Amino acid sequence: MATATGAHTSVSTHILDTALGRPAAGVAVELSVRPASDAPWAAHAVSRTDADGRCKDLPALPESTAHARLRFEVEPYLDRAGHAPADGRRAGAFFPEVAVVFAVEPGQHYHVPLLLNPFGYSVYRGS
C-alpha cells in the first residue's frame, strides 16, 4: 500500500541452508501483520521459496502496519534435505518452524534473510 508520500512498505526474504551451503528451496512462508503490539495478527500473504531460496512475490504491507511477522515452515525442508544426526536416527527438526517479528515504518523496505541449519538459525535486516 502506498503512504501519503506514495512510498510502499515492502518485505522480501530468502533462506540459505548454511549446513549445505545452498539456498533452501520449497519452504512455505507466511507473512502476517498487525497495527499495534496489542493487536491480533492478520495473515497478509503466503509464499514458497524458489530455487534460489527467495520469496519474490510478497505484496506491499497495509499502511496501518506497525509489526510484521514472517513464519517459515522449515521442518519439511530439513527432512527433504536429509539433515539427520550422524548416528542415523531421525528425531524430527529441532526447530520445526521459525517465526521472526519485526517493527516497520512506512515507506521502508525490509529484507529479512534466514540463515538455517538443523540445530540453529540466524536472521538479520539485509538490504
Side-chain angles (χ1 to χ4, degrees), residues 13-102:
T13 190
H14 76 269
I15 306 173
L16 177 65
D17 182 332
T18 58
L20 299 177
R22 66 179 185 219
V27 177
V29 178
E30 177 184 74
L31 173 61
S32 299
V33 296
R34 65 183 180 189
S37 59
D38 59 349
W41 289 104
H44 183 62
V46 293
S47 186
R48 187 169 294 277
T49 56
D50 63 14
D52 197 32
R54 298 180 182 278
C55 291
K56 297 179 181 174
D57 57 352
L58 296 173
L61 300 180
E63 288 183 37
S64 63
T65 303
H67 297 129
R69 177 179 67 192
L70 287 167
R71 189 175 65 79
F72 304 90
E73 294 181 33
V74 298
E75 185 171 36
Y77 166 78
L78 292 169
D79 286 345
R80 284 192 313 275
H83 289 298
D87 63 6
R89 291 180 295 122
R90 184 73 190 138
F94 184 69
F95 295 108
E97 67 179 40
V98 174
V100 180
V101 176
F102 52 99

